[in-house]
Every structure is written in structure tokens, then in C-alpha cells.
Amino acid sequence: MGVVIGAVMMENSTKQEILKTAKDLFNQRGFNAVSLRDISGVMGISKGNLTYHFKKKEDIIEAILDEMSGQYRPPQVPQSLGEMNALFMHLQTMVKDNAFYFWHHAQLAQVSPKIREQQSKVYQTNIKLFRQAFAVFNKDGVLLDEQFPGQYEQTIDSLLLACIYWIPFGELKQKVGQPATFQQYAWAVLYPLLTEKGKKLLQEIRG
């Protein structure tokens, strides 16, 4: 019995090491530039050993995203502009730490229906989060009423779209000038909707 348990633990340990190594390589080189042989080579194991656990690269990426999805805990709804600033910083860090995912976001949606469903769930969760935050800010007098129907929704879409595609956009922008951080961009998008009270609070938050 002990031998069986030990074998299972070793197998799980190898799987985790494969996922960690693959994620590091995907972040460094991009999903398309990494092969199964690259992953096994960095780990110092045979390609056959790797394919015993994962038959193809798409299986690895699905397992990585499964793990990420299981660990994901939606942030609390921001109750102040300071908390919104912290959320923007959190999103900025998350994008940097998972560069491979955001660089290949559209492509990964085609890998499997499961990944596409995961992306949809995260998107819906974040839309709900921002809607609730905007309602709080409007009630507290730091966010203007909508100046035209759907303005809040379109602003939220702009923020989420920028977050998802910030990595490839940043690389393009570097060719013509230093890109802003996502945090800076997010406040530039939101600033026209702030009341005078909101603008003063933001100035205090950002120093």
C-alpha cells in the first residue's frame, strides 16, 4: 500500500513540475515557440516520460489553466477609489505573472471548449465586479451619472479589453514610445467619469 501511495505522489510531483516548467517557458518564449521537447529538455527527462503524463502541448495548457481557475479568487468589490487603485494594480500584476495566457488569449480560446468556457466565466465575473463598483462610486458622489446610455458598460468593456490584450499592445507600443502601465491607462479611461470630489480623491491616492 505504501509503495502505491509513494508512486502516486511521485507521479503527481512530476506532473506539477511539468506544469511549472511549461508555464515558465510559455511566459518567457510564448506558447507557440515552446515544444514538448523544450519542456522535457529543461526538466532533464525524456520526451516519452513527459508524454506519459501529457500527450500534447494543448493538454498541458489546459491543465495549467485548470489549476489557475481553481486557485482564482475574485477580488472583493472596491468600496473606494483607493480600493479600485489596488484592483488595477492587482490586475496589472496578474497580467505580468501570466503573460503567456494574455499574449495568446484569443488563440487559447480555440484550443478547447473548456478553456473558452473558463474565459467566459472570468469575463462575466469581472464585469459584475466593475458594475457593482461603479454603482458604489456613483452613490458616494465620486462617479458622474452616465452622460449617455451604456457609458458605464462601454467604459468597463474598455478596461477589460485593455487588461486582456495589454501584453501584445505593450510590445507594439514599445516600438513607438514607452507604454504606460495598465494602472495608468485604466485611470485615464475612468478619469472623465469622475466628479470633482472623485478627482481630488484620486489626486490624493496617486500623490
Side-chain angles (χ1 to χ4, degrees), residues 159-203:
L159 291 170
L160 294 179
L161 188 64
C163 181
I164 291 170
Y165 294 107
W166 193 255
I167 293 289
F169 170 76
E171 184 165 299
L172 288 173
K173 184 66 184 290
Q174 283 180 344
K175 296 178 180 179
V176 295
Q178 184 63 30
T181 64
F182 171 73
Q183 179 193 21
Q184 291 169 331
Y185 173 85
W187 281 120
V189 170
L190 196 54
Y191 191 81
L193 270 172
L194 296 180
T195 62
E196 288 304 315
K197 175 184 175 182
K199 290 175 181 177
K200 288 179 182 178
L201 286 172
L202 178 60
Q203 188 173 8

Side-chain angles (χ1 to χ4, degrees), residues 72-78 84 87-88 90-92 94-95 101-102 105 118-135 152-153 155-164 182:
Y72 178 71
R73 297 293 179 270
Q76 295 294 314
V77 176
M84 179 62 90
L87 174 60
F88 289 154
H90 166 74
L91 292 174
Q92 183 172 294
M94 181 182 66
V95 167
Y101 174 75
F102 293 96
H105 189 273
Q118 287 173 340
Q119 290 179 340
S120 179
K121 284 182 179 179
V122 171
Y123 176 69
Q124 294 301 327
T125 298
N126 287 331
I127 278 188
K128 183 178 180 181
L129 179 77
F130 277 99
R131 283 173 179 165
Q132 292 174 336
F134 278 28
Y152 284 179
E153 199 74 3
T155 301
I156 292 170
D157 283 346
S158 295
L159 291 170
L160 294 179
L161 188 64
C163 181
I164 291 170
F182 171 73

Side-chain angles (χ1 to χ4, degrees), residues 30-32 57-58 100-112 115-116 119 165:
F31 176 70
N32 294 327
K57 191 167 65 170
E58 288 75 14
F100 78 94
Y101 174 75
F102 293 96
W103 181 263
H104 300 286
H105 189 273
Q107 178 186 350
L108 293 177
Q110 307 303 316
V111 169
S112 75
I115 292 176
R116 186 162 58 250
Q119 290 179 340
Y165 294 107

